[in-house]
Amino acid sequence: MKLIVQKFGGTSVANQERRNMVVNKVEFAKKKDYFPVVVVSAIGRNGDPYATDTLINLAKSVGIETSPRELDLLMSCGEIISCVVLSNTLKRMGYECKVLTGGQAGIITDDNYGDAEVLKVEPEKILDCIENNIIPIVAGFQGITEDGNITTLGRGGSDVTASIIGEAINAEIVEIYTDVDGVMTADPAIVPDAKVMDTVFYNEIFQMAEYGANVIHPRAVEIAMRSNIPLLIKSALTENTGTLITNYDKSRRYRYDKNDKLITAIAQIDNRTQFRIKFDGSTNQYERDNILFNIIAAENISIDMINIYPDTKIFIIDSINSSKLVSILKSQSYNFDVTPNCTKVTIIGNKMRGIPGVMAKVIEGLSESKIEVLQTSDSHTTISCLIKSENTNIAVNALHEKFELGKTK
Ligand code: ADP
Ligand code: MG
């Protein structure tokens, strides 16, 4: 039997009208001789009664901090509620369904609450349902530890649930339904001219996700890639075909698209803070270098865009860790500058590999818009620029235009 995983994001199940549309997607899969396994996120967005952020704020309102273990317990409820409501919707249309929590679906994780890693999947209960012609409705974003504690997989974790189940049951394809028509050349919330792409390669979408495009979780891409399961990202609200994500070989024919561009997409990630650590040439400078990076690592602060010069070390961190790092550096008497409110904007594209002049074009695009570049970093297939967050919209639109990624080109 051909198996398909269909994952529905928060907005796709936000109200009854939308849940009825989910039924159409399930029905369509069945008509095409697929047996569906459905994965669901919590209903709606912050402010909606059962959305994840609403639940977190409810616990916060008591005025004390929720422990990580209990926070995961609380957050896992959103998906369970969503599953039961969707299950009823499908049952009303005559389908037999069974709701499974992440743990019941066999998703076993470590105990890193809030961002747990899946250790293994024991899909027997899912397979049991399938054998008995019952559609499993699985709560996304959650798992269980070996000793029975409920965990969550981090923001966007329902995508991970979908991929990891797809891998465990050997699904033909994993469909990710969301509130946009597919993977676009930039975040449509920032770039009105952004265009839906028909196909993207795993490595490109992985980079997009890593560099901030939250349309899919990077780990979900990684899992699909290692087991070579195609991912199809599409809208729950329209009939559009969406974006197919496969590997290079399988979709070779797409390489000959005459519209191929040097750059595939632009992504951005905000809430970055830049640190510049200056050295005065004192005799123990090498030792100080060593100590600096060891302290940062010991505090579990991840650093990025690292530029090292004899007299200066520059890097960025997630602003959430900013005050922690400032107090460490002060306590060790380092001489440093901090630039808060930064955004890392990245252009991504397999085709820029080895092509000269791409950086020149980036800088040209940004300077034409009078945007100061604070720092850059690059790889074979990406170029990132750090800018002030207040310039994000102008910068992303300028680069999108410069590389002719839009619908109007
Ligand atoms: P869901 O709840 O369905 O998982 P998300 O909010 O996690 O939805 O992801 C969908 C959102 O991702 C879109 O509304 C869009 O604003 C954002 N997004 C960011 N970058 C991109 C991109 N390159 N293509 C499509 N959507 C993007
Ligand atoms: Mg998401």
Side-chain angles (χ1 to χ4, degrees):
M1 190 179 334
K2 290 194 300 181
L3 302 179
I4 185 170
V5 176
Q6 297 185 296
K7 178 252 165 176
F8 297 93
T11 49
S12 314
V13 290
N15 54 44
Q16 196 51 44
E17 191 190 343
R18 296 205 174 163
R19 291 188 286 272
N20 292 339
M21 294 174 86
V22 169
V23 177
N24 297 339
K25 305 294 181 193
V26 172
E27 238 157 30
F28 190 69
K30 288 212 108 190
K31 267 194 201 127
K32 292 202 137 187
D33 281 337
Y34 285 105
F35 196 95
V37 173
V38 175
V39 174
V40 198
S41 296
I43 292 175
R45 293 271 191 265
N46 193 8
D48 292 338
Y50 312 107
T52 308
D53 286 311
T54 312
L55 299 176
I56 295 172
N57 289 335
L58 177 64
K60 245 191 207 160
S61 69
V62 181
I64 63 156
E65 206 162 308
T66 318
S67 74
R69 179 183 171 277
E70 264 105 74
L71 196 58
D72 272 12
L73 255 179
L74 176 78
M75 289 197 286
S76 71
C77 298
E79 272 67 19
I80 297 173
I81 294 166
S82 183
C83 277
V84 173
V85 178
L86 183 66
S87 168
N88 278 354
T89 308
L90 280 158
K91 280 180 182 163
R92 198 182 57 189
M93 301 304 289
Y95 292 105
E96 244 195 287
C97 305
K98 184 172 184 178
V99 170
L100 299 172
T101 64
Q104 290 166 348
I107 296 175
I108 313 295
T109 73
D110 63 14
D111 64 358
N112 184 20
Y113 295 109
D115 195 21
E117 192 179 331
V118 179
L119 301 175
K120 60 180 173 185
V121 182
E122 294 168 344
E124 287 72 28
K125 285 203 174 72
I126 296 177
L127 296 171
D128 245 23
C129 287
I130 296 170
E131 250 169 53
N132 292 298
N133 205 23
I134 298 167
I135 300 175
I137 317 277
V138 180
F141 174 62
Q142 53 177 268
I144 198 164
T145 61
E146 296 271 16
D147 54 359
N149 286 308
I150 290 177
T151 52
T152 65
L153 310 180
R155 279 303 162 102
S158 293
D159 297 337
V160 178
T161 307
S163 275
I164 205 109
I165 287 179
E167 179 180 57
I169 64 171
N170 209 2
E172 301 270 316
I173 186 162
V174 172
E175 290 185 334
I176 307 280
Y177 285 93
T178 183
D179 60 352
V180 286
D181 277 331
V183 179
M184 305 176 82
T185 47
D187 186 345
I190 290 185
V191 181
D193 195 35
K195 190 167 75 178
V196 179
M197 295 182 274
D198 295 336
T199 61
V200 193
F201 300 113
Y202 287 122
N203 75 319
E204 286 178 316
I205 185 91
F206 175 76
Q207 281 173 333
M208 285 177 68
E210 276 282 301
Y211 286 106
N214 57 355
V215 63
I216 179 123
H217 195 296
R219 226 179 300 155
V221 183
E222 203 172 33
I223 295 161
M225 178 159 63
R226 76 180 175 207
S227 45
N228 210 1
I229 301 175
L231 286 173
L232 185 59
I233 302 188
K234 59 203 293 203
S235 167
L237 314 173
T238 69
E239 297 299 319
N240 282 16
T241 48
T243 305
L244 181 66
I245 300 159
T246 58
N247 72 29
Y248 184 88
D249 289 317
K250 246 192 169 173
S251 47
R252 261 201 102 80
R253 59 201 161 101
Y254 298 111
R255 295 307 288 177
Y256 303 111
D257 184 345
K258 63 179 182 341
N259 296 319
D260 267 359
K261 303 261 165 73
L262 201 56
I263 301 307
T264 304
I266 305 175
Q268 73 289 326
I269 184 156
D270 58 8
N271 285 322
R272 302 296 102 177
T273 297
Q274 187 195 46
F275 281 79
R276 271 171 190 273
I277 320 247
K278 291 175 274 182
F279 290 93
D280 49 16
S282 56
T283 46
N284 62 348
Q285 181 174 319
Y286 293 119
E287 202 183 317
R288 301 264 292 159
D289 273 9
N290 231 336
I291 293 170
L292 169 69
F293 289 107
N294 277 319
I295 297 175
I296 297 170
E299 289 295 328
N300 224 354
I301 298 174
S302 139
I303 57 176
D304 186 21
M305 294 188 93
I306 307 153
N307 294 148
I308 298 190
Y309 307 102
D311 56 348
T312 319
K313 317 284 173 255
I314 308 173
F315 56 84
I316 64 167
I317 63 168
D318 186 332
S319 301
I320 228 168
N321 295 317
S322 222
S323 50
K324 187 164 142 193
L325 186 54
V326 166
S327 51
I328 294 168
L329 293 175
K330 273 190 183 154
S331 72
Q332 301 283 328
S333 310
Y334 280 98
N335 178 8
F336 64 98
D337 290 331
V338 181
T339 310
N341 304 320
C342 296
T343 295
K344 181 170 78 162
V345 177
T346 305
I347 61 166
I348 295 138
N350 281 347
K351 293 211 149 181
M352 74 166 92
R353 199 186 289 266
I355 307 271
V358 185
M359 178 62 105
K361 208 167 167 179
V362 170
I363 299 299
E364 193 178 273
L366 294 176
S367 56
E368 277 165 3
S369 301
K370 305 211 169 359
I371 289 165
E372 186 190 10
V373 178
L374 305 172
Q375 209 184 325
T376 66
S377 63
D378 60 272
S379 72
H380 289 307
T381 54
T382 62
I383 294 177
S384 301
C385 293
L386 191 71
I387 58 167
K388 296 292 291 174
S389 299
E390 66 209 33
N391 294 326
T392 303
N393 279 21
I394 298 171
V396 177
N397 276 287
L399 291 174
H400 198 262
E401 171 91 357
K402 193 81 191 167
F403 285 96
E404 303 183 350
L405 298 180
K407 292 183 280 216
T408 48
K409 293 288 172 184

mmCIF file of all heavy atoms in Angstrom, residues 282-317:
data_model
loop_
_atom_site.group_PDB
_atom_site.id
_atom_site.type_symbol
_atom_site.label_atom_id
_atom_site.label_comp_id
_atom_site.label_asym_id
_atom_site.label_seq_id
_atom_site.Cartn_x
_atom_site.Cartn_y
_atom_site.Cartn_z
ATOM 1 N N SER A 282 48.593 42.782 24.220
ATOM 2 C CA SER A 282 49.332 42.393 25.428
ATOM 3 C C SER A 282 49.941 40.996 25.251
ATOM 4 O O SER A 282 49.523 40.226 24.378
ATOM 5 C CB SER A 282 48.418 42.426 26.646
ATOM 6 O OG SER A 282 47.313 41.601 26.412
ATOM 7 N N THR A 283 50.894 40.664 26.072
ATOM 8 C CA THR A 283 51.681 39.445 25.871
ATOM 9 C C THR A 283 50.843 38.170 25.950
ATOM 10 O O THR A 283 51.157 37.182 25.314
ATOM 11 C CB THR A 283 52.811 39.358 26.917
ATOM 12 O OG1 THR A 283 52.233 39.677 28.174
ATOM 13 C CG2 THR A 283 53.948 40.305 26.568
ATOM 14 N N ASN A 284 49.780 38.199 26.724
ATOM 15 C CA ASN A 284 48.988 36.968 26.862
ATOM 16 C C ASN A 284 47.788 36.924 25.903
ATOM 17 O O ASN A 284 46.781 36.287 26.167
ATOM 18 C CB ASN A 284 48.518 36.789 28.313
ATOM 19 C CG ASN A 284 47.609 37.932 28.739
ATOM 20 O OD1 ASN A 284 47.528 38.946 28.035
ATOM 21 N ND2 ASN A 284 46.927 37.757 29.848
ATOM 22 N N GLN A 285 47.919 37.606 24.768
ATOM 23 C CA GLN A 285 46.775 37.690 23.847
ATOM 24 C C GLN A 285 46.300 36.325 23.350
ATOM 25 O O GLN A 285 45.095 36.067 23.305
ATOM 26 C CB GLN A 285 47.144 38.569 22.653
ATOM 27 C CG GLN A 285 45.982 38.700 21.677
ATOM 28 C CD GLN A 285 46.288 39.685 20.571
ATOM 29 O OE1 GLN A 285 46.869 40.741 20.815
ATOM 30 N NE2 GLN A 285 45.909 39.334 19.366
ATOM 31 N N TYR A 286 47.251 35.421 23.012
ATOM 32 C CA TYR A 286 46.853 34.116 22.483
ATOM 33 C C TYR A 286 46.035 33.350 23.523
ATOM 34 O O TYR A 286 45.029 32.727 23.209
ATOM 35 C CB TYR A 286 48.076 33.298 22.061
ATOM 36 C CG TYR A 286 48.775 33.900 20.870
ATOM 37 C CD1 TYR A 286 50.094 34.324 20.960
ATOM 38 C CD2 TYR A 286 48.101 34.061 19.663
ATOM 39 C CE1 TYR A 286 50.724 34.892 19.880
ATOM 40 C CE2 TYR A 286 48.737 34.632 18.571
ATOM 41 C CZ TYR A 286 50.041 35.049 18.679
ATOM 42 O OH TYR A 286 50.672 35.622 17.604
ATOM 43 N N GLU A 287 46.501 33.466 24.735
ATOM 44 C CA GLU A 287 45.816 32.799 25.831
ATOM 45 C C GLU A 287 44.397 33.371 25.997
ATOM 46 O O GLU A 287 43.431 32.649 26.169
ATOM 47 C CB GLU A 287 46.632 33.053 27.095
ATOM 48 C CG GLU A 287 46.414 32.055 28.217
ATOM 49 C CD GLU A 287 47.235 32.484 29.422
ATOM 50 O OE1 GLU A 287 48.415 32.879 29.218
ATOM 51 O OE2 GLU A 287 46.673 32.486 30.509
ATOM 52 N N ARG A 288 44.319 34.701 25.868
ATOM 53 C CA ARG A 288 43.021 35.381 26.005
ATOM 54 C C ARG A 288 42.051 34.942 24.896
ATOM 55 O O ARG A 288 40.865 34.765 25.132
ATOM 56 C CB ARG A 288 43.211 36.903 25.942
ATOM 57 C CG ARG A 288 44.122 37.458 27.011
ATOM 58 C CD ARG A 288 43.386 37.971 28.208
ATOM 59 N NE ARG A 288 42.604 39.169 27.938
ATOM 60 C CZ ARG A 288 41.588 39.557 28.711
ATOM 61 N NH1 ARG A 288 41.229 38.818 29.739
ATOM 62 N NH2 ARG A 288 40.916 40.653 28.440
ATOM 63 N N ASP A 289 42.590 34.761 23.680
ATOM 64 C CA ASP A 289 41.786 34.265 22.551
ATOM 65 C C ASP A 289 41.160 32.928 22.899
ATOM 66 O O ASP A 289 39.959 32.701 22.743
ATOM 67 C CB ASP A 289 42.676 33.990 21.336
ATOM 68 C CG ASP A 289 42.876 35.227 20.493
ATOM 69 O OD1 ASP A 289 42.466 36.296 20.949
ATOM 70 O OD2 ASP A 289 43.429 35.096 19.391
ATOM 71 N N ASN A 290 42.026 32.063 23.360
ATOM 72 C CA ASN A 290 41.629 30.710 23.700
ATOM 73 C C ASN A 290 40.535 30.702 24.758
ATOM 74 O O ASN A 290 39.496 30.059 24.599
ATOM 75 C CB ASN A 290 42.859 30.003 24.279
ATOM 76 C CG ASN A 290 43.065 28.695 23.591
ATOM 77 O OD1 ASN A 290 42.109 28.145 23.060
ATOM 78 N ND2 ASN A 290 44.292 28.220 23.609
ATOM 79 N N ILE A 291 40.806 31.479 25.801
ATOM 80 C CA ILE A 291 39.867 31.535 26.927
ATOM 81 C C ILE A 291 38.516 32.055 26.435
ATOM 82 O O ILE A 291 37.475 31.498 26.744
ATOM 83 C CB ILE A 291 40.426 32.434 28.054
ATOM 84 C CG1 ILE A 291 41.668 31.782 28.664
ATOM 85 C CG2 ILE A 291 39.373 32.684 29.127
ATOM 86 C CD1 ILE A 291 42.440 32.677 29.612
ATOM 87 N N LEU A 292 38.565 33.105 25.612
ATOM 88 C CA LEU A 292 37.326 33.729 25.119
ATOM 89 C C LEU A 292 36.391 32.697 24.485
ATOM 90 O O LEU A 292 35.234 32.559 24.892
ATOM 91 C CB LEU A 292 37.680 34.814 24.095
ATOM 92 C CG LEU A 292 36.523 35.395 23.298
ATOM 93 C CD1 LEU A 292 35.620 36.223 24.204
ATOM 94 C CD2 LEU A 292 37.019 36.247 22.146
ATOM 95 N N PHE A 293 36.901 31.957 23.501
ATOM 96 C CA PHE A 293 36.011 31.038 22.783
ATOM 97 C C PHE A 293 35.615 29.842 23.650
ATOM 98 O O PHE A 293 34.524 29.310 23.509
ATOM 99 C CB PHE A 293 36.643 30.624 21.450
ATOM 100 C CG PHE A 293 36.645 31.765 20.465
ATOM 101 C CD1 PHE A 293 37.815 32.433 20.140
ATOM 102 C CD2 PHE A 293 35.450 32.205 19.909
ATOM 103 C CE1 PHE A 293 37.798 33.510 19.259
ATOM 104 C CE2 PHE A 293 35.427 33.286 19.026
ATOM 105 C CZ PHE A 293 36.602 33.936 18.703
ATOM 106 N N ASN A 294 36.485 29.473 24.567
ATOM 107 C CA ASN A 294 36.126 28.383 25.485
ATOM 108 C C ASN A 294 35.015 28.785 26.455
ATOM 109 O O ASN A 294 34.130 27.987 26.749
ATOM 110 C CB ASN A 294 37.361 27.901 26.256
ATOM 111 C CG ASN A 294 38.149 26.914 25.418
ATOM 112 O OD1 ASN A 294 37.563 26.061 24.758
ATOM 113 N ND2 ASN A 294 39.456 27.054 25.403
ATOM 114 N N ILE A 295 35.098 30.021 26.927
ATOM 115 C CA ILE A 295 34.047 30.484 27.848
ATOM 116 C C ILE A 295 32.694 30.482 27.129
ATOM 117 O O ILE A 295 31.689 30.024 27.648
ATOM 118 C CB ILE A 295 34.306 31.935 28.339
ATOM 119 C CG1 ILE A 295 35.600 32.025 29.131
ATOM 120 C CG2 ILE A 295 33.138 32.426 29.172
ATOM 121 C CD1 ILE A 295 35.953 33.463 29.516
ATOM 122 N N ILE A 296 32.707 31.005 25.902
ATOM 123 C CA ILE A 296 31.452 31.104 25.145
ATOM 124 C C ILE A 296 30.875 29.705 24.922
ATOM 125 O O ILE A 296 29.678 29.473 25.088
ATOM 126 C CB ILE A 296 31.691 31.831 23.799
ATOM 127 C CG1 ILE A 296 32.140 33.268 24.063
ATOM 128 C CG2 ILE A 296 30.429 31.832 22.959
ATOM 129 C CD1 ILE A 296 32.626 34.011 22.829
ATOM 130 N N ALA A 297 31.742 28.763 24.574
ATOM 131 C CA ALA A 297 31.292 27.387 24.343
ATOM 132 C C ALA A 297 30.757 26.779 25.638
ATOM 133 O O ALA A 297 29.707 26.133 25.650
ATOM 134 C CB ALA A 297 32.433 26.552 23.795
ATOM 135 N N ALA A 298 31.453 27.023 26.734
ATOM 136 C CA ALA A 298 31.045 26.439 28.019
ATOM 137 C C ALA A 298 29.669 26.963 28.441
ATOM 138 O O ALA A 298 28.902 26.259 29.097
ATOM 139 C CB ALA A 298 32.083 26.757 29.084
ATOM 140 N N GLU A 299 29.355 28.184 28.030
ATOM 141 C CA GLU A 299 28.044 28.763 28.387
ATOM 142 C C GLU A 299 26.966 28.320 27.390
ATOM 143 O O GLU A 299 25.824 28.770 27.454
ATOM 144 C CB GLU A 299 28.132 30.290 28.398
ATOM 145 C CG GLU A 299 28.928 30.851 29.548
ATOM 146 C CD GLU A 299 28.284 30.589 30.906
ATOM 147 O OE1 GLU A 299 27.044 30.540 30.981
ATOM 148 O OE2 GLU A 299 29.046 30.426 31.880
ATOM 149 N N ASN A 300 27.364 27.472 26.435
ATOM 150 C CA ASN A 300 26.408 26.952 25.460
ATOM 151 C C ASN A 300 25.815 28.039 24.562
ATOM 152 O O ASN A 300 24.670 27.952 24.145
ATOM 153 C CB ASN A 300 25.279 26.230 26.203
ATOM 154 C CG ASN A 300 24.950 24.930 25.525
ATOM 155 O OD1 ASN A 300 25.488 24.643 24.453
ATOM 156 N ND2 ASN A 300 24.064 24.157 26.112
ATOM 157 N N ILE A 301 26.599 29.083 24.329
ATOM 158 C CA ILE A 301 26.151 30.163 23.445
ATOM 159 C C ILE A 301 26.707 29.889 22.050
ATOM 160 O O ILE A 301 27.924 29.771 21.877
ATOM 161 C CB ILE A 301 26.647 31.535 23.952
ATOM 162 C CG1 ILE A 301 26.059 31.829 25.339
ATOM 163 C CG2 ILE A 301 26.293 32.640 22.959
ATOM 164 C CD1 ILE A 301 26.605 33.083 25.993
ATOM 165 N N SER A 302 25.791 29.783 21.105
ATOM 166 C CA SER A 302 26.260 29.453 19.768
ATOM 167 C C SER A 302 26.621 30.742 19.019
ATOM 168 O O SER A 302 25.863 31.723 19.042
ATOM 169 C CB SER A 302 25.178 28.602 19.113
ATOM 170 O OG SER A 302 24.989 28.955 17.818
ATOM 171 N N ILE A 303 27.808 30.770 18.403
ATOM 172 C CA ILE A 303 28.256 31.970 17.693
ATOM 173 C C ILE A 303 28.292 31.702 16.189
ATOM 174 O O ILE A 303 28.398 30.571 15.751
ATOM 175 C CB ILE A 303 29.628 32.487 18.198
ATOM 176 C CG1 ILE A 303 30.717 31.415 18.093
ATOM 177 C CG2 ILE A 303 29.531 32.990 19.607
ATOM 178 C CD1 ILE A 303 32.096 31.914 18.488
ATOM 179 N N ASP A 304 28.164 32.792 15.438
ATOM 180 C CA ASP A 304 27.968 32.679 14.000
ATOM 181 C C ASP A 304 28.669 33.873 13.342
ATOM 182 O O ASP A 304 29.018 34.833 14.008
ATOM 183 C CB ASP A 304 26.446 32.728 13.779
ATOM 184 C CG ASP A 304 26.056 32.486 12.342
ATOM 185 O OD1 ASP A 304 26.847 31.912 11.587
ATOM 186 O OD2 ASP A 304 24.923 32.877 11.981
ATOM 187 N N MET A 305 28.850 33.831 12.032
ATOM 188 C CA MET A 305 29.515 34.905 11.277
ATOM 189 C C MET A 305 30.820 35.313 11.965
ATOM 190 O O MET A 305 31.036 36.486 12.273
ATOM 191 C CB MET A 305 28.596 36.128 11.110
ATOM 192 C CG MET A 305 27.378 35.876 10.265
ATOM 193 S SD MET A 305 26.430 37.361 9.881
ATOM 194 C CE MET A 305 27.108 37.872 8.303
ATOM 195 N N ILE A 306 31.674 34.350 12.182
ATOM 196 C CA ILE A 306 32.893 34.610 12.959
ATOM 197 C C ILE A 306 33.989 35.137 12.039
ATOM 198 O O ILE A 306 34.347 34.476 11.065
ATOM 199 C CB ILE A 306 33.358 33.304 13.648
ATOM 200 C CG1 ILE A 306 32.185 32.721 14.436
ATOM 201 C CG2 ILE A 306 34.565 33.546 14.540
ATOM 202 C CD1 ILE A 306 32.251 31.223 14.603
ATOM 203 N N ASN A 307 34.470 36.336 12.317
ATOM 204 C CA ASN A 307 35.604 36.912 11.580
ATOM 205 C C ASN A 307 36.723 37.151 12.585
ATOM 206 O O ASN A 307 36.527 37.873 13.568
ATOM 207 C CB ASN A 307 35.233 38.254 10.933
ATOM 208 C CG ASN A 307 34.189 38.108 9.836
ATOM 209 O OD1 ASN A 307 33.382 38.991 9.620
ATOM 210 N ND2 ASN A 307 34.187 36.987 9.143
ATOM 211 N N ILE A 308 37.875 36.564 12.322
ATOM 212 C CA ILE A 308 38.987 36.723 13.263
ATOM 213 C C ILE A 308 40.130 37.485 12.610
ATOM 214 O O ILE A 308 40.594 37.116 11.532
ATOM 215 C CB ILE A 308 39.460 35.340 13.766
ATOM 216 C CG1 ILE A 308 38.299 34.681 14.511
ATOM 217 C CG2 ILE A 308 40.703 35.465 14.643
ATOM 218 C CD1 ILE A 308 38.643 33.441 15.273
ATOM 219 N N TYR A 309 40.534 38.561 13.237
ATOM 220 C CA TYR A 309 41.692 39.358 12.802
ATOM 221 C C TYR A 309 42.663 39.412 13.974
ATOM 222 O O TYR A 309 42.254 39.154 15.111
ATOM 223 C CB TYR A 309 41.246 40.782 12.430
ATOM 224 C CG TYR A 309 40.123 40.793 11.433
ATOM 225 C CD1 TYR A 309 38.815 41.026 11.850
ATOM 226 C CD2 TYR A 309 40.370 40.549 10.081
ATOM 227 C CE1 TYR A 309 37.772 41.005 10.937
ATOM 228 C CE2 TYR A 309 39.328 40.534 9.167
ATOM 229 C CZ TYR A 309 38.033 40.762 9.600
ATOM 230 O OH TYR A 309 37.004 40.742 8.716
ATOM 231 N N PRO A 310 43.929 39.778 13.702
ATOM 232 C CA PRO A 310 44.896 39.790 14.808
ATOM 233 C C PRO A 310 44.434 40.640 15.999
ATOM 234 O O PRO A 310 44.627 40.269 17.152
ATOM 235 C CB PRO A 310 46.159 40.376 14.171
ATOM 236 C CG PRO A 310 46.034 40.043 12.719
ATOM 237 C CD PRO A 310 44.570 40.082 12.411
ATOM 238 N N ASP A 311 43.797 41.765 15.704
ATOM 239 C CA ASP A 311 43.462 42.649 16.821
ATOM 240 C C ASP A 311 41.968 42.693 17.158
ATOM 241 O O ASP A 311 41.563 43.370 18.097
ATOM 242 C CB ASP A 311 43.953 44.074 16.515
ATOM 243 C CG ASP A 311 43.385 44.592 15.208
ATOM 244 O OD1 ASP A 311 42.809 43.771 14.452
ATOM 245 O OD2 ASP A 311 43.488 45.795 14.943
ATOM 246 N N THR A 312 41.147 41.995 16.394
ATOM 247 C CA THR A 312 39.701 42.030 16.648
ATOM 248 C C THR A 312 39.068 40.676 16.353
ATOM 249 O O THR A 312 39.470 39.991 15.406
ATOM 250 C CB THR A 312 38.995 43.049 15.705
ATOM 251 O OG1 THR A 312 39.793 44.195 15.593
ATOM 252 C CG2 THR A 312 37.619 43.413 16.206
ATOM 253 N N LYS A 313 38.122 40.295 17.151
ATOM 254 C CA LYS A 313 37.310 39.104 16.870
ATOM 255 C C LYS A 313 35.863 39.582 16.768
ATOM 256 O O LYS A 313 35.369 40.242 17.682
ATOM 257 C CB LYS A 313 37.401 38.068 17.997
ATOM 258 C CG LYS A 313 38.812 37.842 18.552
ATOM 259 C CD LYS A 313 39.668 37.013 17.624
ATOM 260 C CE LYS A 313 41.104 36.933 18.083
ATOM 261 N NZ LYS A 313 42.097 37.701 17.400
ATOM 262 N N ILE A 314 35.224 39.242 15.645
ATOM 263 C CA ILE A 314 33.833 39.691 15.446
ATOM 264 C C ILE A 314 32.950 38.472 15.255
ATOM 265 O O ILE A 314 33.326 37.535 14.543
ATOM 266 C CB ILE A 314 33.725 40.600 14.202
ATOM 267 C CG1 ILE A 314 34.760 41.725 14.276
ATOM 268 C CG2 ILE A 314 32.318 41.175 14.080
ATOM 269 C CD1 ILE A 314 34.837 42.552 13.011
ATOM 270 N N PHE A 315 31.798 38.479 15.887
ATOM 271 C CA PHE A 315 30.843 37.388 15.674
ATOM 272 C C PHE A 315 29.456 37.860 16.083
ATOM 273 O O PHE A 315 29.303 38.928 16.685
ATOM 274 C CB PHE A 315 31.262 36.127 16.451
ATOM 275 C CG PHE A 315 31.450 36.348 17.923
ATOM 276 C CD1 PHE A 315 30.382 36.317 18.800
ATOM 277 C CD2 PHE A 315 32.728 36.601 18.431
ATOM 278 C CE1 PHE A 315 30.565 36.527 20.156
ATOM 279 C CE2 PHE A 315 32.913 36.820 19.794
ATOM 280 C CZ PHE A 315 31.829 36.784 20.658
ATOM 281 N N ILE A 316 28.440 37.055 15.749
ATOM 282 C CA ILE A 316 27.080 37.394 16.177
ATOM 283 C C ILE A 316 26.505 36.240 17.013
ATOM 284 O O ILE A 316 26.962 35.090 16.892
ATOM 285 C CB ILE A 316 26.139 37.704 14.983
ATOM 286 C CG1 ILE A 316 25.931 36.474 14.085
ATOM 287 C CG2 ILE A 316 26.665 38.862 14.170
ATOM 288 C CD1 ILE A 316 24.785 36.630 13.088
ATOM 289 N N ILE A 317 25.526 36.592 17.841
ATOM 290 C CA ILE A 317 24.814 35.571 18.625
ATOM 291 C C ILE A 317 23.318 35.892 18.590
ATOM 292 O O ILE A 317 22.918 36.996 18.205
ATOM 293 C CB ILE A 317 25.295 35.514 20.098
ATOM 294 C CG1 ILE A 317 25.001 36.833 20.830
ATOM 295 C CG2 ILE A 317 26.776 35.201 20.192
ATOM 296 C CD1 ILE A 317 25.183 36.740 22.335
#
